[in-house]
Amino acid sequence: MAIQAINVRNQFRGRVKEIIRGDVVSEVDVETPSGIVTSVITTRSVDELGLKPGSEVVALVKSTEVSIATL
């Protein structure tokens, strides 16, 4: 299922694996078929969306820049 009303082409369906809560922002790890996608969002948004481990979500990725470093 793709979300059509949002202008984001990179959409990864998955389940919340872990949430690391902070006072203001939280890290949300989403397990997708392609691997883990991590998002940093406000803790308020985590609460308003009702996110918890196991929640089914779509990670929407929109970026104007991708940085790469050598190993």
Side-chain angles (χ1 to χ4, degrees), residues 47-60:
D47 294 339
E48 288 177 358
L49 290 168
L51 297 179
K52 60 186 178 196
S55 295
E56 189 173 350
V57 296
V58 176
L60 306 167

Side-chain angles (χ1 to χ4, degrees), residues 2 30 41 52 70:
V30 178
I41 64 174
K52 60 186 178 196
T70 58

Side-chain angles (χ1 to χ4, degrees), residues 10 12 61-70:
N10 300 309
F12 302 94
V61 180
K62 185 170 186 176
S63 176
T64 58
E65 178 181 337
V66 176
S67 299
I68 298 176
T70 58

Side-chain angles (χ1 to χ4, degrees), residues 12-14 31-35:
F12 302 94
R13 189 176 186 147
E31 181 86 51
T32 74
S34 299

Side-chain angles (χ1 to χ4, degrees), residues 8-66:
V8 178
R9 295 186 185 266
N10 300 309
Q11 301 178 17
F12 302 94
R13 189 176 186 147
R15 292 194 182 273
V16 174
K17 180 177 181 180
E18 181 181 13
I19 299 172
I20 301 171
R21 293 181 65 90
D23 292 336
V24 178
V25 295
S26 296
E27 291 181 42
V28 180
D29 289 342
V30 178
E31 181 86 51
T32 74
S34 299
I36 300 287
V37 174
T38 301
S39 178
V40 177
I41 64 174
T42 64
T43 300
R44 181 179 191 175
S45 292
V46 170
D47 294 339
E48 288 177 358
L49 290 168
L51 297 179
K52 60 186 178 196
S55 295
E56 189 173 350
V57 296
V58 176
L60 306 167
V61 180
K62 185 170 186 176
S63 176
T64 58
E65 178 181 337
V66 176

